[in-house]
């Protein structure tokens, strides 16, 4: 379709928006329309968009024909939630913002039709601008594999050169004389030229040693492992109907090597289900339950809830335990009523009244939802919203407030306000926001209240609750009119509109009166402390990176057992200048090292002051924790301090970074990734975690309440933090284990298969004669041996999932990269080489003078080929049999199937009728007893050394895996 | 010890939150993965583990199995009687030296040399007579491919137009060569006779059977003369010429029509190329005639080697060596050796001590390893006392 900028297009219900368009008018009143933005940010709640009131009546085509407005706007960018522009029409300027835009990728809902003007089309749309910045992630095994393939290639060239030199010598010494029976080809001018040709012949013959099929097989395995992750019921969350999902198929085995986990707090460790649990109104706290002896009672399932039956519109799921608050509201205490009135008015929640009395709130942030729900249950029911009004039901009486302005929330302001005209005609400003911000803008008259409230606030924060302070202000009509004019002017400015708006908001949000504070409980997800403990045992370090404040972060740390009272020391780094931070870091480090040195002087002198930290790292017994704030982190991440930070952080058992920006999260991950050579995993649920998720080796998204952005950017996603344990310790470990075994076997197999040609070269005049026939060479890797190893790579389990979880230490070999590294590669290729050597020389010894039992000679090439090929297939099958720990029916099928297919193809190809080329060699050869004796002998000799080695390893140096088995 | 977190798998505990209701309603098409053994990786499986209990007996069994097999093989191999004589004629003392060295190209009479030898033991049952060549690279790639299987299978078209693989032995002059290629061209053509010197002075020529020396499948499936059965081979091969080194055309290899042309067994045996540069090929069979007398009694024998002569002077260079003074089957130029072997046969084939020795040694090594591993296991083995599993 040719959608161009400036076109006016009509959209109908449930259609995708085709470009970024400016909403002009719609079928709904006030030019409203609803969109679903799931494709953009993953959030499924409906969002409302409203056309300018000037354009909202352009509802038919003839009027639209006359529309000749001009839009001046920002250049294309990737910010989905921001738009600035102005519409010039009929000599008027109208400001445009994101609320008037329908972005490409949205779906129109609950709106019959709407008209819009295209602002950005094609690649300039915000959706397209957001694409294509994804970093390509590869696993360390992948990189190792590439190196190894290069090595093998070099090895191949070496073999080619050796054989080419051999050929030159042979042609000079023997071939020249043998010309009697075998004249040189016409084009062959000299022995050296012959050697040159031989080199290329051997490169072609021996190319099977460079395993091209390896890459395909590895991808198949990874795909299989990803499916197993998707299929795991134990990572499926019933409540949200969310199975685990692997978005990538390339990172599975790296899940078995993770050393650092960077976790977001909100929505990851916590449920991000906010529950209004306490509040402080006018200097008095509510929410705790006391028994008759005035002792605080632990709130459990059995504690009786407040009865909200007086309120027909209450939310049944809401629970509150302190009856005194209801009493206060019922007794018309103005502070309490104002408190809840504010909560019911000051928010951006959309109500949806499906049937009379059945209210559902669509909140963009769960905090707001919790607060509005609390107000609803306490009798201040938010019922309806239009762009100009808010309708409440206050203690059973309907009240409509005229909505004059919304001073919306952002990360800098950390507060939001509404200005309303109440039914009595007074203009009021209601504000809620972070305590520090609100306290700075209070009227001096509230000072006493402020101290009392702030005491309560720190108490709340200590319990891990999220707090907000609430304040209000009466505005005079005149003052508001002046301010409103300024607002109108500023909102049409293009340049610096944001800053000017912020300044204007700042101006009106001054001298407010404090109402109180709310405390919302951020519930921990199920099983978080257990998961963290388990991952710690697996030697995985968990760092929490959160945007929350220090106290909240620490309280969550305590509640998930990351911080404990029995820890030796918790270092809190909160310096504001670089020097302070440096000193704090140094001191903490010296503290740890010093203590340790004292403890270690008893036995061995650990060396001088400059002893390597890594040595200490191993020997630290005491437990430390580090808590660092965002301000300090900014300094600590400077190049000159980052090493100190990293060293210190690695000495500590727990690291918590609070008040960090999304960018800092990514920087911390990058720091560890760069300097520690360790696999990092970032887990988060919100848009603020996206950068961290993209930076880490592995990104995991928790599909929680905060939308889907993190999930979309992640490599793996699931619903609950605790599934991380299973993903790493079970799936990751298996994937790594299987992949390593697979690779080792694959290299072994190819070496055993190919090098036979090398040995044969010495006996056939280096003439590039192959040992096997062409069909065998073609089918060996594809048909005869591919399936059993794939089955092993897919199904093998050395330890079952329960034991993997029971013994987290089983995870350690992956972190140390023990199962497949360069040493293992050498061992398996060596095994392959030895096997090929035996495969060639045992039949060689047996065949040099062998005869058939009817006297005819049978040391001919084809018989030789059949014998070696059969032995090879049997040897590699036995070897995979020994390497397989978990024989499922599929393994059996593939294994025996491959052998049967081998013999079937062998006999079919060599049957009398089919090919005249090698009739019946197999029959003549394999009917011979001595051939079977040779095969048996070769098989035993090839398998024995490996068996002895692995037996001795298991018997003398058993790993934990062996013990658990 | 960390207790792993127990998942409430299977429990559908819908807590009273609003969201749960939606999930319950969505259970029509729930995304819950299927609970199959395959998808949950719970396929029933056999999990073999290397333990002393399985590995050590395996070693002993292999050892105890291999040693008797090896001894059996060795004894069988030793019971086979084999006699080998080199008649290349390199040394001055060799009776064939003259023929090999001084035979004149122009002579019209074939050169014959007699090599006397003595058999210490009588050879019972059938005796097989082989010729052996060494340092002869029948396994060279260019040599191996230098044949036309389709021609040898009786294809008339290939007879007239030999495959390119046969170059430079595809055509001679304008005529196609039958059989073409380097393998056929270099066919072994010494003829060997065996004479028994009876102690009473008479010389008895020992009858040699020339049929039954090739594999049945080769003779009846792979190699076929062109043309219909029983047609005159001379006619069939008309328009072709013999390989340049040959003295006779292919249809004159034998007088027996069933052993002539491409299905001549000497030819078939030669065409099955050897895997290694030292090889032996079956030449003749000495059938056992009576149950009373051994096939070859103990005593003195003479091997008569009749060297063939090339009838025509070859036209191109590589063969010039032949022209000079090498009328016998020429191997001396590349330091090859020619041997004649007499051998009896057992169930396991010919004399080959290698297998027997290999079996005995592998068996013994296995057994010793078994003992060694047992000792190591008893002294140092960790598995038994590994009950405590630490983290």
């Amino acid at each position: 379709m040719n959608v161009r900028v400036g076109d006016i297009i009509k959209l109908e219900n449930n259609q995708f928006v085709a470009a970024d368009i400016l909403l002009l008018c719609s079928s709904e009143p006030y030019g409203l329309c609803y969109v679903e933005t799931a494709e953009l940010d993953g959030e499924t709640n409906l969002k409302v968009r409203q056309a300018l009131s000037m354009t909202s009546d352009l509802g038919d085509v003839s009027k639209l024909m006359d529309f000749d407005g001009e839009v001046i706007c920002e250049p294309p960018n990737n910010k989905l939630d921001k738009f600035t522009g102005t519409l010039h029409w009929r000599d008027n300027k109208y400001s445009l913002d994101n609320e008037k835009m329908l972005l490409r990728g949205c779906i129109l809902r609950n709106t019959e039709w709407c008209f819009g003007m295209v602002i950005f089309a094609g690649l300039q749309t915000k959706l397209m601008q957001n694409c294509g910045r994804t970093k390509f992630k590869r696993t360390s095994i992948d990189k190792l594999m590439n190196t190894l393939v290069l090595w093998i290639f070099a090895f191949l060239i070496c073999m080619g050169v050796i054989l080419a030199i051999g050929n030159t010598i042979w042609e000079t010494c023997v071939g020249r004389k043998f010309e009697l029976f075998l004249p040189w080809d016409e084009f062959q001018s000299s022995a050296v030229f012959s050697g040159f040709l031989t080199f290329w012949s051997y490169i072609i013959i021996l190319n099977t040693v460079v395993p091209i099929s390896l890459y395909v097989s590895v991808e198949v395995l990874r795909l299989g492992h990803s499916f197993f992750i998707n299929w795991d019921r134990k990572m499926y969350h019933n409540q949200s109907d969310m199975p685990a999902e692997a978005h990538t198929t390339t990172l599975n085995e790296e899940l078995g090597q993770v050393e650092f986990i960077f976790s977001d707090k909100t929505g990851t460790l916590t449920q991000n289900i906010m529950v209004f649990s306490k509040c402080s109104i006018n200097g008095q706290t509510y929410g705790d339950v006391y028994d008759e002896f005035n002792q605080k009672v632990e709130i459990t399932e059995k504690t009786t809830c407040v009865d909200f039956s007086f309120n027909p519109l209450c939310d049944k799921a809401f629970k509150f335990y302190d009856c005194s608050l209801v009493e206060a509201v019922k007794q018309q205490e103005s502070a309490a009523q104002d408190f809840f009135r504010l909560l019911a008015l000051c928010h951006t929640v959309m109500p949806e009244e499906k049937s009379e009395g059945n209210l559902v709130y669509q909140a963009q942030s769960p905090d707001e939802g919790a607060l509005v729900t609390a107000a609803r249950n306490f009798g201040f029911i938010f019922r309806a919203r239009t762009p100009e009004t808010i309708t409440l039901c206050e203690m059973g009486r309907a009240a409509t407030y005229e909505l004059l302005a919304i001073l919306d929330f952002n990360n800098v302001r950390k507060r939001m306000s509404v200005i309303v005209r109440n039914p009595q005609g007074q203009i009021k400003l209601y504000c809620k926001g972070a305590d520090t911000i609100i306290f700075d803008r209070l009227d001096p008259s509230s000072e006493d209240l402020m101290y009392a409230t702030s005491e309560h606030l720190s108490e709340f924060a200590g319990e891990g609750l999220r707090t907000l302070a609430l304040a209000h202000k009466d505005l005079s009509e005149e003052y508001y009119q002046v301010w409103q004019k300024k607002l109108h002017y500023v909102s049409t400015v293009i340049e610096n509109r944001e800053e000017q708006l912020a300044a204007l908001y700042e101006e009106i949000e001054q001298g407010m009166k404090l109402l109180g504070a709310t405390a919302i409980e951020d519930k921990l997800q199920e099983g978080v402390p257990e998961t963290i403990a388990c991952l710690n045992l697996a030697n995985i370090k968990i760092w929490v990176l959160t945007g929350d404040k220090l106290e909240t972060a620490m309280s969550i740390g305590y509640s998930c057992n990351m911080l404990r009272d029995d820890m030796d020391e918790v270092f809190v780094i909160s310096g504001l200048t670089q020097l302070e931070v440096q000193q704090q870091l140094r001191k903490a480090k010296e503290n740890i090292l010093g203590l340790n040195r004292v403890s270690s002087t008893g036995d061995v002198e650990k060396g001088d002051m400059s002893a390597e930290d890594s040595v200490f790292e191993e020997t630290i017994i005491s437990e430390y924790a580090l808590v660092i704030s965002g301000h300090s982190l900014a300094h600590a991440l400077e190049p000159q301090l980052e090493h100190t930070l990293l060293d210190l952080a690695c000495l500590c058992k727990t690291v918590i970074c609070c008040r960090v920006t999304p960018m800092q999260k990514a920087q911390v991950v990058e720091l560890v990734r760069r300097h520690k050579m360790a696999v990092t995993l970032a887990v988060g649920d919100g848009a603020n975690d996206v950068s961290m998720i993209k930076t880490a080796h592995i990104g995991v998204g928790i599909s929680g309440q905060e939308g889907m952005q993190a999930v979309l950017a992640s490599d793996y996603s699931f619903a609950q933090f605790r599934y991380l344990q299973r993903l790493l310790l079970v799936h990751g470990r298996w994937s790594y284990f299987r992949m390593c075994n697979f690779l080792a076997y694959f290299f072994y197999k190819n070496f055993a298969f190919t090098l036979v040609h090398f040995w044969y070269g010495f006996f056939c005049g280096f003439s590039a004669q192959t040992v096997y026939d062409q069909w065998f060479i073609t089918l060996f890797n594809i048909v005869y041996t591919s399936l059993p190893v794939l089955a092993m790579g897919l199904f093998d389990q050395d330890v079952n999932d329960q034991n993997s979880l029971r013994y987290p230490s089983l995870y350690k070999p992956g972190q140390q990269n023990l199962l497949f590294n360069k040493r293992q590669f050498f061992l398996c290729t060596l095994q392959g080489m030895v096997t090929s050597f035996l495969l060639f020389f045992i039949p060689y010894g047996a065949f040099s003078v062998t005869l058939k039992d009817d006297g005819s000679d049978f040391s001919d090439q084809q018989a030789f080929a059949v014998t070696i090929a059969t032995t090879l297939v049997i040897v590699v099958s036995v070897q995979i049999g020994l390497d397989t720990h978990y024989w499922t029916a599929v393994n059996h099928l593939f294994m025996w199937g491959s052998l049967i297919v081998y013999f079937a193809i062998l006999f079919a190809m060599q049957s009398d009728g089919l090919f005249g080329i090698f009739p019946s060699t197999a029959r003549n050869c394999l009917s011979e007893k001595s051939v079977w004796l040779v095969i048996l002998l070769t098989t035993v000799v090839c398998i024995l050394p490996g068996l002895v080695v692995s037996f001795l390893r298991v018997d003398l140096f058993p790993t934990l895996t062996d013990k658990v088995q | 010890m960390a207790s792993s977190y127990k998942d409430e798998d299977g429990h559908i505990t819908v807590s009273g939150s609003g969201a749960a209701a939606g999930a319950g309603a969505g259970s029509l098409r729930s995304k819950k993965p299927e609970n199959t053994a395959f998808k949950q990786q719970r396929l029933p499986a056999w999990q073999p583990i290397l333990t002393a209990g399985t590995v050590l007996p395996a070693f002993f069994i292999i050892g105890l199995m291999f040693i008797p097999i090896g001894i059996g093989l060795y004894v069988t191999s030793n019971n086979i009687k084999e006699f080998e004589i080199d008649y290349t004629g390199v040394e001055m003392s060799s009776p064939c030296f003259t023929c090999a060295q001084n035979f004149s190209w122009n002579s019209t009479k074939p050169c014959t040399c007699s090599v006397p030898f003595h058999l210490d033991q009588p050879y019972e049952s059938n005796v097989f007579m082989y010729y052996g060549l060494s340092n002869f690279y029948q396994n060279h790639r260019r040599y191996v491919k230098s044949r036309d299987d389709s021609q040898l299978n009786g294809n008339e078209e290939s007879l007239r137009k030999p495959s390119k693989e046969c170059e430079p032995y595809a055509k001679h002059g304008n005529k196609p060569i039958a059989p073409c290629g380097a393998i056929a061209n270099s066919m072994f053509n010494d003829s060997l006779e065996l004479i028994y010197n009876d102690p009473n002075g008479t010389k008895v020529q020992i009858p040699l059977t020339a049929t039954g020396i090739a594999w049945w499948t080769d003779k009846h499936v792979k190699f076929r003369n062109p043309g219909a059965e029983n047609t005159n081979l001379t006619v069939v091969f008309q328009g072709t010429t013999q390989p340049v080194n040959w003295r006779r055309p292919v249809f004159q290899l034998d007088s027996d029509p069933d052993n002539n042309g491409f299905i001549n067994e000497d030819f078939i045996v030669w065409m099955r190329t050897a895997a290694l540069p030292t090889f032996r090929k079956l030449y003749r069979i000495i059938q056992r005639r009576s149950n009373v007398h051994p096939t070859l009694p103990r005593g003195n024998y003479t091997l008569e080697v009749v060297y063939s002569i090339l009838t025509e002077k070859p036209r191109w260079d590589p063969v010039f060596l032949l022209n000079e003074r090498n009328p016998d089957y020429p191997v001396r130029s590349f330091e090859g050796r020619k041997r004649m072997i007499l051998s009896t046969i057992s169930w396991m084939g010919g004399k080959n001590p290698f297998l027997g020795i290999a079996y005995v040694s592998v068996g013994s090594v296995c057994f010793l390893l078994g003992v060694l591993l047992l000792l190591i296991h008893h002294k140092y083995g960790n598995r038994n006392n590994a009950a405590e599993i630490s983290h």
Side-chain angles (χ1 to χ4, degrees), chain B residues 71-390:
Chain B
I71 293 171
L73 284 173
Y74 190 73
V75 170
T76 318
S77 171
N78 266 7
N79 283 341
I80 294 171
K81 299 188 183 85
E82 197 179 84
F83 176 81
E84 186 172 319
I85 187 167
D86 188 312
Y87 70 94
T88 322
V90 185
E91 299 86 12
M92 291 284 279
S93 56
S94 165
C96 289
F97 182 74
T98 335
C99 274
Q101 296 288 326
N102 296 335
F103 185 75
S104 153
W105 167 252
N106 295 326
S107 167
T108 49
K109 277 175 76 183
C111 177
T112 307
C113 72
S114 305
V115 187
F117 64 93
H118 179 78
L119 289 184
D120 296 334
Q121 294 167 308
Y123 281 40
E124 315 282 345
S125 73
N126 289 352
V127 178
F128 297 82
M129 183 178 178
Y130 302 87
Y131 59 86
L133 296 174
S134 49
N135 214 8
F136 192 103
Y137 284 85
Q138 255 205 325
N139 59 1
H140 195 283
R141 185 177 52 83
R142 276 184 288 125
Y143 186 86
V144 170
K145 71 181 171 78
S146 186
R147 65 193 286 162
D148 187 344
D149 280 309
S150 145
Q151 188 192 49
L152 298 174
N153 198 28
N155 188 316
E156 304 243 8
E157 202 178 318
S158 303
L159 186 68
R160 307 285 160 210
K161 267 195 193 156
S163 144
K164 261 171 61 186
E165 300 287 348
C166 284
E167 291 292 349
Y169 299 109
K171 289 201 168 180
H172 185 202
N174 288 326
K175 287 182 171 176
I177 295 178
C180 73
I183 310 178
N185 187 53
S186 57
M187 182 175 156
F188 181 79
N189 60 0
D190 288 354
S191 52
L192 309 174
E193 298 286 343
L194 211 53
I195 290 161
Y196 174 57
N197 301 322
D198 205 299
N200 61 22
T202 51
K203 298 194 170 200
V204 185
Q205 175 149 14
I206 294 178
L208 304 173
T209 316
T211 51
I213 58 173
W215 292 4
W216 187 92
T217 45
D218 279 357
K219 173 133 179 155
H220 294 92
V221 180
K222 190 169 179 182
F223 290 82
R224 250 183 239 147
N225 277 324
E229 295 248 340
N230 301 326
T231 40
N232 191 342
L233 288 181
T234 324
V235 180
V236 172
F237 281 103
Q238 202 156 39
T240 64
T241 182
Q242 72 229 42
V244 286
N245 283 11
W246 285 22
R247 114 173 246 197
R248 289 189 297 253
V250 68
F251 49 87
Q252 283 174 18
L253 286 174
D254 199 303
S255 52
D256 179 3
D258 283 339
N259 192 25
N260 203 1
F262 291 155
I263 55 169
N264 176 276
E265 293 197 19
D266 283 331
F267 176 65
I268 294 173
V269 166
W270 180 256
M271 291 305 284
R272 188 159 272 280
T273 52
L276 299 165
T278 298
F279 58 89
R280 57 170 72 174
K281 285 181 182 290
L282 185 56
Y283 184 64
R284 293 291 181 262
I285 301 172
I286 307 166
Q287 300 283 358
R288 178 166 196 176
R289 303 267 154 181
S290 80
N291 288 329
V292 189
H293 303 289
T295 321
L296 292 178
R298 182 168 174 270
N300 290 319
Y301 291 83
T302 310
L303 170 70
E304 298 240 316
V305 185
V306 184
Y307 291 119
S308 315
I309 301 167
L310 297 163
T311 47
E312 228 180 303
K313 191 176 171 183
R315 291 236 161 74
W316 63 80
D317 277 344
V319 196
F320 80 100
L321 286 160
L322 287 171
N323 304 352
E324 307 222 314
R325 48 173 192 225
N326 281 304
D328 68 333
Y329 188 73
V331 295
R332 288 180 48 252
S333 61
F334 51 88
E335 287 145 17
R337 288 295 188 143
K338 297 195 281 191
R339 289 161 298 146
M340 190 281 299
I341 301 115
L342 293 172
S343 171
T344 58
I345 285 295
S346 74
W347 60 270
M348 57 153 287
K351 194 180 186 78
N352 186 0
F354 176 86
L355 262 186
I357 295 170
Y359 262 89
V360 171
S361 35
V362 170
S364 330
V365 167
C366 259
F367 195 81
L368 288 179
L369 268 178
V371 173
L372 192 68
L373 292 182
L374 188 66
L375 287 179
I376 292 177
H377 175 70
H378 261 273
K379 211 156 176 206
Y380 306 104
N382 280 343
R383 195 174 254 292
N384 297 333
N385 51 19
E388 89 291 343
I389 296 168
S390 63

Side-chain angles (χ1 to χ4, degrees), chain A residues 295-329:
Chain A
Q295 292 286 313
K296 212 189 241 184
V297 178
E298 194 85 4
I299 292 173
T300 60
E301 299 268 306
K302 289 176 193 135
T303 319
T304 45
C305 307
V306 174
D307 181 19
F308 289 108
S309 53
F310 70 91
N311 182 354
L313 282 168
C314 71
D315 185 347
K316 304 283 186 299
F318 182 82
K319 288 193 172 66
F320 198 76
Y321 301 93
D322 187 357
C323 296
S324 54
L325 185 56
V326 185
E327 296 309 314
V329 177

Side-chain angles (χ1 to χ4, degrees), chain A residues 232-267:
Chain A
D232 195 338
R233 276 165 83 91
K234 292 187 180 151
M235 300 208 293
Y236 167 81
H237 193 232
N238 256 326
Q239 270 94 30
S240 58
D241 189 26
M242 266 289 299
E245 254 182 279
H247 301 281
T248 169
T249 60
T250 54
L251 298 174
N252 294 324
E253 72 266 12
E254 198 130 277
L255 287 175
Q257 300 184 282
V258 172
E259 262 186 81
F260 286 90
I261 294 180
F262 298 92
S263 173
D264 178 37
K265 185 189 76 64
T266 317

Side-chain angles (χ1 to χ4, degrees), chain A residues 181 183 231 233 236 239 241 738 760 763 767 797 846 855 859-861 886-887 917 924 933 944 955-956, chain B residues 13 23 30-31 33 40-41 43 46 130 139 141-142 186 215 217 222 272-273 275 333 352 359 366 377 382:
Chain A
F181 292 126
W231 285 335
R233 276 165 83 91
Y236 167 81
Q239 270 94 30
D241 189 26
R738 290 166 181 172
Y760 192 48
F763 296 91
S767 59
Q797 303 179 4
S859 57
D860 76 294
Q861 263 183 324
Y886 195 77
W887 283 81
I917 310 153
N924 277 310
L933 287 175
L944 270 190
D955 205 43
L956 298 184
Chain B
T13 40
S30 164
K31 286 192 241 159
Q40 301 308 316
Q41 305 197 61
L43 286 176
W46 171 55
Y130 302 87
N139 59 1
R141 185 177 52 83
R142 276 184 288 125
S186 57
W215 292 4
T217 45
K222 190 169 179 182
R272 188 159 272 280
T273 52
S333 61
N352 186 0
Y359 262 89
C366 259
H377 175 70
N382 280 343

Side-chain angles (χ1 to χ4, degrees), chain A residues 583-621:
Chain A
Q583 278 168 350
Q584 283 177 333
L585 287 176
R586 291 258 162 84
K587 218 175 116 199
K589 200 174 157 190
E590 271 161 29
N591 204 338
I592 296 177
L593 296 181
L595 265 181
N596 191 60
R597 210 163 279 135
V598 169
S599 69
S600 67
T601 39
D603 35 69
V604 189
E605 191 65 34
K606 268 282 186 252
D608 47 355
M609 289 296 284
S610 62
E612 268 142 53
D613 297 330
S614 55
V615 177
F616 287 110
E617 226 170 285
E618 308 298 326
T619 54
I620 294 243
I621 324 135

